[in-house]
Amino acid sequence: MTAGSEPFVDISHIDASDRKILNLLYAGLSDASIARELAIGHRTVQRRVQRLMELLQANGRVALGARAQELGLLRSPRTVVPAAQ
C-alpha cells in the first residue's frame, strides 16, 4: 500500500437494512432509538453496529459514520428521516 491509501473494504455484504442503520447512526440516533425506528431488538442493533464496524474497519461509532460516508454508503435513493422521539 502507498502512503495515504486505504485498505480494501468489501461492501458487498452491506444490505439495505445495514444502510438504514448506518444512516440513522449517522443522524445521531442511539442504538435504542434505531431499534424503535426499525422495529427490531436493541441487542440486534448493537450486534449489527459491531459487525459493521468490523466490516468497515472502524474503531468506533463516529469512525463508522465517517467510513460509511467515505464509501458512499449513506447515499440512498430515499432520505432516512427518524420518527419523532
Side-chain angles (χ1 to χ4, degrees):
M1 273 193 310
T2 60
S5 67
E6 293 291 326
F8 174 75
V9 176
D10 180 10
I11 62 171
S12 66
H13 299 317
I14 297 176
D15 61 18
S17 181
D18 289 332
R19 287 175 186 250
K20 285 180 187 175
I21 289 172
L22 288 168
N23 277 287
L24 293 170
L25 186 68
Y26 192 75
L29 273 68
S30 67
D31 291 345
S33 295
I34 293 170
R36 281 191 300 273
E37 180 70 25
L38 300 179
I40 58 178
H42 177 250
R43 185 71 182 118
T44 299
V45 173
Q46 290 177 325
R47 280 192 300 268
R48 292 184 70 179
V49 167
Q50 183 62 40
R51 183 180 69 79
L52 286 165
M53 286 194 297
E54 291 169 8
L55 283 172
L56 300 184
Q57 301 169 4
N59 293 325
R61 295 168 70 89
V62 173
L64 178 60
R67 192 75 170 121
Q69 186 176 38
E70 287 172 11
L71 295 169
L73 294 171
L74 298 180
R75 295 183 210 132
S76 63
R78 201 172 118 231
T79 303
V80 176
V81 180
Q85 303 279 322

